[in-house]
Amino acid sequence: MATGCTSGTPALAPGNSTGNVPVKQGGSLVIGAEQEPDCADWLSTCAGSIWGTYLMQTQTIPQVFTVVRQDDDWVPVTSDLMASTPTTEVVDGRQTITYRLNPAAVWSDGQAITSADLRYTALQIRDGKDIFTRTGYDLIDSITTPDARTAIVTLESPYANWRQLFGAEYGVLPAHLLEGKDRNALMKNGYTFSGGPWKIASWIRGTSVTLVPNDRYWGAKPHLNKVTFQFTTDTAAEFQAFAGGQLDALYPTPQLDVLAQINSLGGSANMQVETRTGNLQALWMNNAAFPFDSKAVREAVAYSVDRGAIVRKLFGSLGVTAPAQSFLSPLVSAFATEDFATYRRDPAKVEQIMTAAGWARNGDGIWAKDGRAAQFTIVSLAGNQSRELTEQILQSQLRQAGFKMTIKNTSAANLFGKVAPTGDFQLGLWTLTDSFPDPTLDASFGSAAIPSEANGNSGINFIRANVPGLDSLLGRVSTDVDQTSRLEASHRTEKLLADAVPSLPLGAVPNILLTGKRVGGPIGINPVRGPFWNLAEWGLAK
């Protein structure tokens, strides 16, 4: 999810850019931010909010590969952190990757970005505690640094997604500043170092994050003198501030009335919409908590929900009209199937499944078994109108099917920093974000990714899914370098997930970017790297 400068300028989709509006040098912008991240230690589980990536990580942390648009596809390309494209070979079942760093690449304190930084980052992820996900890094057998500009990583087995290493979620961190110290303590509230075009000037909790240019950056430097991300979690207030000129840009979560609010702005805003995103909204069922520890209940709930109606209600006006039938987002749809299409609202099917599993309706019409009713609590983001509307629709649909659902939402920091990692929930509603155009369902459904004391409470399999036979298939999708075999394993994975229904995909979430007339530059949405992926190229319009 972190990003550096790309080795080329991506082509923007027609209708998805304002064009390259000429900009002035200097000045400042204020941008609305819907969420405040819990922390800025990008390796830790506390960094689960994607907004932390948008605001700080993308702007300050270099990475080996980045993602750009080429024709109709989003593809990984080598960033200018590297002197050349990394090379890889597989010998006797072990994969070796050689990285050669750009000699011009330096940290904001003037120290060179070296192979020691790659080694430090990799070992922190592989061996540290409270790591967001170790996927890929857990395969590292050794990493050697024959010189300051060369790092050689040896994996125990082939890894098809090897380009995600030192990119996507993490990037590269400075060993000379962090090694031997408490990384989380130094980074969680923001940090002063940078290997990107921007530095974090301040993070005022509850108010804003401010960026200023990194004068030591070796690539193209920002046009602006300052960018402030102002936390505006209330959607109506956010649009009001934009209309009044207090905010220069918004990246709003698609809400039911978002188009009406955008239309009310008249010609004062430019809008881009991207429907082929890496965002997938889903119902996350805790497989280790009652009543979702029962496959019958999970299956019955899946037949209780009219997912198509929910998606059309939420996103139909933005071009998303069909529910997702896979946990793979549109970004990686080449690996997906339609196996979840079997789950359509079917009250008779619900009756059949629950009755066969020994449940019976009680006096309130709620399914009950062994003295316990099929009632549960759903958790999502407080104040998010789209999520709240979804919950209200779900509550009605589930009640009709014999399930009692209570809504208890919370902050992003609490949800992704405490509630989900500890498994202290029954049902969740949040969005899975693919950060690279390769499938990584092992991070969300692999049993090794269940946070526990044994793995240092790392991993994002928050639902505690442990589907028999799934791990080996997920392993093949991750490691198989033969594309045909990999696709076959992915399709089998999809079938196994749909049969076990550990959770339920709802729909792809489109991206919307609004910019005011003051904003210039090549502005367009990158579904992988976020709306502000090229913030260094933004400026005040001439």
Side-chain angles (χ1 to χ4, degrees), residues 391-424:
E391 289 171 323
Q392 291 163 13
I393 297 172
L394 286 168
Q395 192 174 49
S396 173
Q397 292 180 352
L398 289 168
R399 183 63 183 84
Q400 293 172 35
F403 299 96
K404 182 179 180 180
M405 187 184 84
T406 303
I407 300 170
K408 186 178 180 181
N409 293 334
T410 187
S411 66
N414 190 49
L415 177 57
F416 299 116
K418 298 175 183 177
V419 173
T422 59
D424 187 21

mmCIF file of all heavy atoms in Angstrom, residues 391-424:
data_model
loop_
_atom_site.group_PDB
_atom_site.id
_atom_site.type_symbol
_atom_site.label_atom_id
_atom_site.label_comp_id
_atom_site.label_asym_id
_atom_site.label_seq_id
_atom_site.Cartn_x
_atom_site.Cartn_y
_atom_site.Cartn_z
ATOM 1 N N GLU A 391 -26.501 -1.662 7.199
ATOM 2 C CA GLU A 391 -26.876 -2.381 8.416
ATOM 3 C C GLU A 391 -28.381 -2.367 8.634
ATOM 4 O O GLU A 391 -28.967 -3.378 9.055
ATOM 5 C CB GLU A 391 -26.155 -1.756 9.612
ATOM 6 C CG GLU A 391 -24.662 -2.037 9.635
ATOM 7 C CD GLU A 391 -23.941 -1.235 10.689
ATOM 8 O OE1 GLU A 391 -24.309 -0.058 10.912
ATOM 9 O OE2 GLU A 391 -22.994 -1.773 11.301
ATOM 10 N N GLN A 392 -29.012 -1.239 8.355
ATOM 11 C CA GLN A 392 -30.459 -1.153 8.539
ATOM 12 C C GLN A 392 -31.195 -2.094 7.579
ATOM 13 O O GLN A 392 -32.165 -2.760 7.964
ATOM 14 C CB GLN A 392 -30.911 0.287 8.331
ATOM 15 C CG GLN A 392 -30.446 1.239 9.426
ATOM 16 C CD GLN A 392 -30.538 2.694 9.030
ATOM 17 O OE1 GLN A 392 -31.173 3.037 8.023
ATOM 18 N NE2 GLN A 392 -29.906 3.566 9.790
ATOM 19 N N ILE A 393 -30.723 -2.162 6.332
ATOM 20 C CA ILE A 393 -31.327 -3.085 5.364
ATOM 21 C C ILE A 393 -31.114 -4.521 5.815
ATOM 22 O O ILE A 393 -32.030 -5.359 5.795
ATOM 23 C CB ILE A 393 -30.740 -2.860 3.955
ATOM 24 C CG1 ILE A 393 -31.065 -1.454 3.454
ATOM 25 C CG2 ILE A 393 -31.287 -3.909 2.979
ATOM 26 C CD1 ILE A 393 -30.354 -1.086 2.156
ATOM 27 N N LEU A 394 -29.883 -4.835 6.240
ATOM 28 C CA LEU A 394 -29.570 -6.183 6.699
ATOM 29 C C LEU A 394 -30.416 -6.552 7.917
ATOM 30 O O LEU A 394 -30.930 -7.669 8.013
ATOM 31 C CB LEU A 394 -28.088 -6.277 7.071
ATOM 32 C CG LEU A 394 -27.086 -6.314 5.924
ATOM 33 C CD1 LEU A 394 -25.667 -6.120 6.459
ATOM 34 C CD2 LEU A 394 -27.184 -7.640 5.174
ATOM 35 N N GLN A 395 -30.566 -5.618 8.818
ATOM 36 C CA GLN A 395 -31.331 -5.871 10.032
ATOM 37 C C GLN A 395 -32.760 -6.293 9.693
ATOM 38 O O GLN A 395 -33.301 -7.257 10.272
ATOM 39 C CB GLN A 395 -31.332 -4.612 10.902
ATOM 40 C CG GLN A 395 -31.839 -4.803 12.309
ATOM 41 C CD GLN A 395 -31.660 -3.531 13.124
ATOM 42 O OE1 GLN A 395 -32.030 -2.444 12.680
ATOM 43 N NE2 GLN A 395 -31.109 -3.653 14.317
ATOM 44 N N SER A 396 -33.378 -5.610 8.732
ATOM 45 C CA SER A 396 -34.742 -5.927 8.322
ATOM 46 C C SER A 396 -34.802 -7.279 7.615
ATOM 47 O O SER A 396 -35.668 -8.112 7.918
ATOM 48 C CB SER A 396 -35.269 -4.822 7.403
ATOM 49 O OG SER A 396 -36.527 -5.163 6.867
ATOM 50 N N GLN A 397 -33.871 -7.507 6.682
ATOM 51 C CA GLN A 397 -33.880 -8.763 5.932
ATOM 52 C C GLN A 397 -33.642 -9.958 6.855
ATOM 53 O O GLN A 397 -34.307 -10.998 6.738
ATOM 54 C CB GLN A 397 -32.815 -8.723 4.828
ATOM 55 C CG GLN A 397 -33.113 -7.733 3.714
ATOM 56 C CD GLN A 397 -32.033 -7.734 2.633
ATOM 57 O OE1 GLN A 397 -30.988 -8.373 2.775
ATOM 58 N NE2 GLN A 397 -32.289 -7.019 1.552
ATOM 59 N N LEU A 398 -32.709 -9.822 7.775
ATOM 60 C CA LEU A 398 -32.392 -10.925 8.680
ATOM 61 C C LEU A 398 -33.523 -11.189 9.672
ATOM 62 O O LEU A 398 -33.799 -12.344 10.023
ATOM 63 C CB LEU A 398 -31.083 -10.630 9.415
ATOM 64 C CG LEU A 398 -29.822 -10.700 8.541
ATOM 65 C CD1 LEU A 398 -28.610 -10.121 9.275
ATOM 66 C CD2 LEU A 398 -29.532 -12.142 8.127
ATOM 67 N N ARG A 399 -34.174 -10.114 10.112
ATOM 68 C CA ARG A 399 -35.301 -10.303 11.040
ATOM 69 C C ARG A 399 -36.416 -11.102 10.370
ATOM 70 O O ARG A 399 -37.019 -11.993 11.001
ATOM 71 C CB ARG A 399 -35.838 -8.940 11.505
ATOM 72 C CG ARG A 399 -36.980 -9.049 12.536
ATOM 73 C CD ARG A 399 -36.486 -9.720 13.792
ATOM 74 N NE ARG A 399 -37.544 -9.907 14.788
ATOM 75 C CZ ARG A 399 -38.392 -10.922 14.798
ATOM 76 N NH1 ARG A 399 -38.326 -11.863 13.854
ATOM 77 N NH2 ARG A 399 -39.320 -11.019 15.744
ATOM 78 N N GLN A 400 -36.673 -10.812 9.111
ATOM 79 C CA GLN A 400 -37.696 -11.559 8.384
ATOM 80 C C GLN A 400 -37.321 -13.035 8.264
ATOM 81 O O GLN A 400 -38.188 -13.901 8.192
ATOM 82 C CB GLN A 400 -37.891 -10.958 6.995
ATOM 83 C CG GLN A 400 -38.487 -9.555 7.001
ATOM 84 C CD GLN A 400 -38.484 -8.939 5.616
ATOM 85 O OE1 GLN A 400 -38.664 -9.623 4.614
ATOM 86 N NE2 GLN A 400 -38.267 -7.626 5.554
ATOM 87 N N ALA A 401 -36.014 -13.318 8.247
ATOM 88 C CA ALA A 401 -35.548 -14.697 8.093
ATOM 89 C C ALA A 401 -35.376 -15.413 9.428
ATOM 90 O O ALA A 401 -34.992 -16.583 9.465
ATOM 91 C CB ALA A 401 -34.218 -14.709 7.331
ATOM 92 N N GLY A 402 -35.636 -14.702 10.554
ATOM 93 C CA GLY A 402 -35.571 -15.348 11.861
ATOM 94 C C GLY A 402 -34.304 -15.090 12.649
ATOM 95 O O GLY A 402 -34.006 -15.812 13.606
ATOM 96 N N PHE A 403 -33.540 -14.045 12.279
ATOM 97 C CA PHE A 403 -32.316 -13.697 12.999
ATOM 98 C C PHE A 403 -32.459 -12.292 13.585
ATOM 99 O O PHE A 403 -32.975 -11.384 12.930
ATOM 100 C CB PHE A 403 -31.104 -13.742 12.065
ATOM 101 C CG PHE A 403 -30.851 -15.090 11.458
ATOM 102 C CD1 PHE A 403 -31.326 -15.395 10.180
ATOM 103 C CD2 PHE A 403 -30.152 -16.061 12.155
ATOM 104 C CE1 PHE A 403 -31.100 -16.632 9.612
ATOM 105 C CE2 PHE A 403 -29.920 -17.310 11.596
ATOM 106 C CZ PHE A 403 -30.401 -17.601 10.320
ATOM 107 N N LYS A 404 -31.974 -12.119 14.802
ATOM 108 C CA LYS A 404 -32.040 -10.812 15.443
ATOM 109 C C LYS A 404 -30.643 -10.196 15.450
ATOM 110 O O LYS A 404 -29.724 -10.734 16.082
ATOM 111 C CB LYS A 404 -32.574 -10.934 16.864
ATOM 112 C CG LYS A 404 -32.721 -9.585 17.566
ATOM 113 C CD LYS A 404 -33.285 -9.743 18.971
ATOM 114 C CE LYS A 404 -33.424 -8.384 19.661
ATOM 115 N NZ LYS A 404 -33.974 -8.523 21.029
ATOM 116 N N MET A 405 -30.498 -9.076 14.758
ATOM 117 C CA MET A 405 -29.200 -8.405 14.657
ATOM 118 C C MET A 405 -29.249 -7.047 15.339
ATOM 119 O O MET A 405 -30.128 -6.236 15.058
ATOM 120 C CB MET A 405 -28.799 -8.235 13.189
ATOM 121 C CG MET A 405 -27.385 -7.709 12.999
ATOM 122 S SD MET A 405 -26.984 -7.418 11.256
ATOM 123 C CE MET A 405 -27.670 -5.759 11.038
ATOM 124 N N THR A 406 -28.296 -6.795 16.219
ATOM 125 C CA THR A 406 -28.146 -5.511 16.905
ATOM 126 C C THR A 406 -26.959 -4.770 16.306
ATOM 127 O O THR A 406 -25.940 -5.387 15.967
ATOM 128 C CB THR A 406 -27.914 -5.723 18.413
ATOM 129 O OG1 THR A 406 -29.005 -6.474 18.948
ATOM 130 C CG2 THR A 406 -27.792 -4.391 19.138
ATOM 131 N N ILE A 407 -27.087 -3.459 16.154
ATOM 132 C CA ILE A 407 -26.018 -2.641 15.564
ATOM 133 C C ILE A 407 -25.243 -1.943 16.676
ATOM 134 O O ILE A 407 -25.824 -1.288 17.546
ATOM 135 C CB ILE A 407 -26.603 -1.595 14.596
ATOM 136 C CG1 ILE A 407 -27.356 -2.297 13.460
ATOM 137 C CG2 ILE A 407 -25.507 -0.684 14.049
ATOM 138 C CD1 ILE A 407 -28.174 -1.355 12.591
ATOM 139 N N LYS A 408 -23.926 -2.075 16.657
ATOM 140 C CA LYS A 408 -23.068 -1.402 17.632
ATOM 141 C C LYS A 408 -21.770 -1.010 16.935
ATOM 142 O O LYS A 408 -20.805 -1.778 16.894
ATOM 143 C CB LYS A 408 -22.786 -2.305 18.835
ATOM 144 C CG LYS A 408 -22.017 -1.592 19.954
ATOM 145 C CD LYS A 408 -21.806 -2.511 21.137
ATOM 146 C CE LYS A 408 -21.045 -1.791 22.253
ATOM 147 N NZ LYS A 408 -20.801 -2.682 23.422
ATOM 148 N N ASN A 409 -21.733 0.192 16.372
ATOM 149 C CA ASN A 409 -20.579 0.633 15.595
ATOM 150 C C ASN A 409 -19.550 1.333 16.461
ATOM 151 O O ASN A 409 -19.817 1.728 17.598
ATOM 152 C CB ASN A 409 -21.035 1.546 14.450
ATOM 153 C CG ASN A 409 -21.860 0.795 13.422
ATOM 154 O OD1 ASN A 409 -21.698 -0.421 13.275
ATOM 155 N ND2 ASN A 409 -22.738 1.482 12.724
ATOM 156 N N THR A 410 -18.364 1.516 15.883
ATOM 157 C CA THR A 410 -17.266 2.099 16.643
ATOM 158 C C THR A 410 -16.339 2.863 15.700
ATOM 159 O O THR A 410 -16.599 2.948 14.499
ATOM 160 C CB THR A 410 -16.500 0.993 17.402
ATOM 161 O OG1 THR A 410 -15.525 1.583 18.263
ATOM 162 C CG2 THR A 410 -15.807 0.043 16.441
ATOM 163 N N SER A 411 -15.251 3.391 16.234
ATOM 164 C CA SER A 411 -14.296 4.145 15.419
ATOM 165 C C SER A 411 -13.417 3.199 14.614
ATOM 166 O O SER A 411 -13.276 2.012 14.947
ATOM 167 C CB SER A 411 -13.403 5.006 16.319
ATOM 168 O OG SER A 411 -12.576 4.179 17.124
ATOM 169 N N ALA A 412 -12.802 3.718 13.557
ATOM 170 C CA ALA A 412 -11.884 2.919 12.740
ATOM 171 C C ALA A 412 -10.715 2.424 13.587
ATOM 172 O O ALA A 412 -10.281 1.268 13.464
ATOM 173 C CB ALA A 412 -11.386 3.741 11.561
ATOM 174 N N ALA A 413 -10.189 3.296 14.462
ATOM 175 C CA ALA A 413 -9.051 2.917 15.299
ATOM 176 C C ALA A 413 -9.403 1.748 16.206
ATOM 177 O O ALA A 413 -8.618 0.797 16.355
ATOM 178 C CB ALA A 413 -8.595 4.116 16.128
ATOM 179 N N ASN A 414 -10.585 1.790 16.805
ATOM 180 C CA ASN A 414 -10.987 0.705 17.703
ATOM 181 C C ASN A 414 -11.320 -0.569 16.937
ATOM 182 O O ASN A 414 -10.954 -1.666 17.349
ATOM 183 C CB ASN A 414 -12.195 1.139 18.531
ATOM 184 C CG ASN A 414 -12.508 0.152 19.652
ATOM 185 O OD1 ASN A 414 -11.616 -0.249 20.405
ATOM 186 N ND2 ASN A 414 -13.761 -0.253 19.757
ATOM 187 N N LEU A 415 -11.984 -0.415 15.789
ATOM 188 C CA LEU A 415 -12.388 -1.583 15.007
ATOM 189 C C LEU A 415 -11.181 -2.360 14.496
ATOM 190 O O LEU A 415 -11.088 -3.576 14.669
ATOM 191 C CB LEU A 415 -13.274 -1.146 13.831
ATOM 192 C CG LEU A 415 -13.719 -2.247 12.868
ATOM 193 C CD1 LEU A 415 -14.463 -3.359 13.597
ATOM 194 C CD2 LEU A 415 -14.601 -1.656 11.764
ATOM 195 N N PHE A 416 -10.235 -1.655 13.851
ATOM 196 C CA PHE A 416 -9.113 -2.337 13.224
ATOM 197 C C PHE A 416 -7.891 -2.469 14.133
ATOM 198 O O PHE A 416 -6.976 -3.238 13.836
ATOM 199 C CB PHE A 416 -8.730 -1.630 11.922
ATOM 200 C CG PHE A 416 -9.849 -1.627 10.919
ATOM 201 C CD1 PHE A 416 -10.427 -0.442 10.503
ATOM 202 C CD2 PHE A 416 -10.344 -2.815 10.406
ATOM 203 C CE1 PHE A 416 -11.463 -0.432 9.579
ATOM 204 C CE2 PHE A 416 -11.389 -2.823 9.495
ATOM 205 C CZ PHE A 416 -11.952 -1.626 9.076
ATOM 206 N N GLY A 417 -7.891 -1.703 15.226
ATOM 207 C CA GLY A 417 -6.768 -1.803 16.145
ATOM 208 C C GLY A 417 -7.010 -2.756 17.292
ATOM 209 O O GLY A 417 -6.069 -3.319 17.850
ATOM 210 N N LYS A 418 -8.296 -2.976 17.657
ATOM 211 C CA LYS A 418 -8.594 -3.804 18.827
ATOM 212 C C LYS A 418 -9.652 -4.867 18.544
ATOM 213 O O LYS A 418 -9.423 -6.060 18.715
ATOM 214 C CB LYS A 418 -9.053 -2.906 19.980
ATOM 215 C CG LYS A 418 -7.994 -1.910 20.439
ATOM 216 C CD LYS A 418 -8.543 -0.969 21.509
ATOM 217 C CE LYS A 418 -7.508 0.080 21.903
ATOM 218 N NZ LYS A 418 -8.048 1.053 22.887
ATOM 219 N N VAL A 419 -10.832 -4.429 18.115
ATOM 220 C CA VAL A 419 -11.976 -5.343 18.006
ATOM 221 C C VAL A 419 -11.705 -6.497 17.042
ATOM 222 O O VAL A 419 -11.829 -7.680 17.401
ATOM 223 C CB VAL A 419 -13.242 -4.569 17.582
ATOM 224 C CG1 VAL A 419 -14.396 -5.532 17.309
ATOM 225 C CG2 VAL A 419 -13.637 -3.562 18.654
ATOM 226 N N ALA A 420 -11.359 -6.165 15.789
ATOM 227 C CA ALA A 420 -11.150 -7.218 14.786
ATOM 228 C C ALA A 420 -9.937 -8.093 15.092
ATOM 229 O O ALA A 420 -10.040 -9.322 15.046
ATOM 230 C CB ALA A 420 -11.038 -6.586 13.395
ATOM 231 N N PRO A 421 -8.769 -7.524 15.407
ATOM 232 C CA PRO A 421 -7.610 -8.386 15.674
ATOM 233 C C PRO A 421 -7.806 -9.356 16.841
ATOM 234 O O PRO A 421 -7.303 -10.482 16.803
ATOM 235 C CB PRO A 421 -6.490 -7.381 15.985
ATOM 236 C CG PRO A 421 -6.883 -6.141 15.270
ATOM 237 C CD PRO A 421 -8.381 -6.094 15.385
ATOM 238 N N THR A 422 -8.536 -8.931 17.875
ATOM 239 C CA THR A 422 -8.745 -9.819 19.024
ATOM 240 C C THR A 422 -9.926 -10.765 18.833
ATOM 241 O O THR A 422 -10.156 -11.643 19.677
ATOM 242 C CB THR A 422 -8.973 -8.989 20.310
ATOM 243 O OG1 THR A 422 -10.127 -8.151 20.130
ATOM 244 C CG2 THR A 422 -7.755 -8.134 20.616
ATOM 245 N N GLY A 423 -10.683 -10.584 17.752
ATOM 246 C CA GLY A 423 -11.839 -11.437 17.505
ATOM 247 C C GLY A 423 -13.012 -11.138 18.415
ATOM 248 O O GLY A 423 -13.882 -11.995 18.622
ATOM 249 N N ASP A 424 -13.059 -9.925 18.945
ATOM 250 C CA ASP A 424 -14.109 -9.553 19.889
ATOM 251 C C ASP A 424 -15.329 -9.008 19.150
ATOM 252 O O ASP A 424 -15.755 -7.871 19.355
ATOM 253 C CB ASP A 424 -13.565 -8.511 20.871
ATOM 254 C CG ASP A 424 -14.546 -8.199 21.989
ATOM 255 O OD1 ASP A 424 -15.441 -9.044 22.235
ATOM 256 O OD2 ASP A 424 -14.423 -7.120 22.607
#
